[in-house]
Amino acid sequence: MTTLFSGWAQTLQDGWTLFLRLTRHTLRNPETLAIGVLLPVILMLMFVFVFGGAIATGTEYVNYVVPGIIVTCVGYGTSMTATSVNLDMTGGMYERLRAMPVRPVSLLLGHVANSLVRNGIGAVLVFLVALAVGFRPSAGWAEWLGVALFLGLFFLAVCWLAVLFGLLAGSAETAGAFAFFIMFLPYVSSAFVPTETMPSWLRAFAEYQPVTPLIETLRGLLVGGGAADSDARAAAAWFGILLLASFAAATYVFARKR
């Protein structure tokens, strides 16, 4: 038991060190900062002031669109995670760790932690900018806790999926294409327009894909007086299963590459 505990403690310590390394890289890279921090703000302002006046949602558009902006921006952020993992695996960093008294799996933990922090900062900025332009949530502390839990589950699931894609991709360019898979789903969901406005064949896809119940759950918690049980269960199931599957697959692929 003591050996197991010390092993996990060493892995977490190594992961923390690699997280700090990735954070320094992020701070020194203006493009990464712009995508991870400024892009959510730009999208928030664009949708509210450019499209908001033309879209009828039955409520203030800024109240409607906030969850969709956060979910969409995660796609951009996790593409950087996939690219970064691939560069470390193909650029010599992994080989250096194998020659040092460092647990190699801590490399994956560092990438996931770095991605979580970036996405978390982006989500906070979206909320702050939304409040400045008219967002008025009715959530109490319990609803805000629910928002944090669902966003955390979503962030973790997508981060581990990005790690898996980075491990499998043959190049950094291919790994960077990961964002398109994640970015596509919010646009064909209830993120920006009600699904009732879509053609019947597209509406069927939009209502049963994983992003829609997540967005409806977040929207219900923030401004709708509570999330529907069916949406909350569906969102938890979709992204809970995705997290477990992505984590298991990423650690398996990483072990095979060792």
Side-chain angles (χ1 to χ4, degrees):
M1 179 66 71
T2 302
T3 302
L4 178 62
F5 177 79
S6 62
W8 274 106
Q10 182 64 43
T11 300
L12 293 175
Q13 182 179 352
D14 293 340
W16 172 253
T17 301
L18 291 166
F19 162 75
L20 294 177
R21 162 188 169 261
L22 291 165
T23 301
R24 287 193 294 270
H25 287 183
T26 300
L27 294 175
R28 294 170 183 171
N29 189 334
E31 294 179 359
T32 301
L33 281 175
I35 293 176
V37 177
L38 295 180
L39 182 63
V41 174
I42 294 171
L43 284 178
M44 182 79 241
L45 296 175
M46 182 182 69
F47 272 95
V48 170
F49 292 113
V50 177
F51 303 122
I55 300 175
T57 61
T59 183
E60 291 291 331
Y61 190 65
V62 65
N63 291 337
Y64 185 89
V65 81
V66 167
I69 295 294
I70 294 173
V71 170
T72 302
C73 290
V74 170
Y76 291 96
T78 51
S79 70
M80 294 184 292
T81 302
T83 300
S84 184
V85 169
N86 186 268
L87 287 173
D88 276 352
M89 294 299 295
T90 60
M93 182 63 187
Y94 174 63
E95 284 72 17
R96 290 176 61 190
L97 291 180
R98 293 185 64 183
M100 299 170 64
V102 175
R103 293 179 178 269
V105 73
S106 61
L107 180 66
L108 304 187
L109 297 179
H111 280 287
V112 170
N114 180 259
S115 184
L116 283 174
V117 170
R118 284 202 317 268
N119 286 322
I121 292 173
V124 170
L125 282 176
V126 167
F127 281 123
L128 292 176
V129 173
L131 288 170
V133 298
F135 179 52
R136 296 297 179 264
S138 58
W141 68 268
E143 286 78 13
W144 278 108
L145 178 60
V147 169
L149 290 175
F150 275 101
L151 283 178
L153 176 63
F154 173 65
F155 288 172
L156 274 174
V158 177
C159 286
W160 277 106
L161 185 61
V163 168
L164 174 62
F165 201 88
L167 292 171
L168 293 174
S171 67
E173 290 77 13
T174 303
F178 170 79
F180 291 101
F181 296 99
I182 303 300
M183 286 162 42
F184 171 76
L185 290 178
Y187 289 105
V188 191
S189 72
S190 63
F192 305 112
V193 297
T195 56
E196 292 81 2
T197 64
M198 300 177 183
S200 57
W201 59 271
L202 186 59
R203 177 180 176 180
F205 173 79
E207 291 182 346
Y208 292 100
Q209 57 119 320
V211 169
T212 292
L214 173 66
I215 289 173
E216 291 300 324
T217 298
L218 295 175
R219 188 175 290 136
L221 290 170
L222 288 169
V223 297
D229 290 341
S230 58
D231 288 327
R233 286 194 298 267
W238 271 112
F239 293 103
I241 293 172
L242 179 62
L243 172 58
L244 294 175
S246 299
F247 174 78
T251 52
Y252 173 78
V253 172
F254 186 74
R256 290 293 300 269
K257 286 182 176 290
R258 294 175 60 185

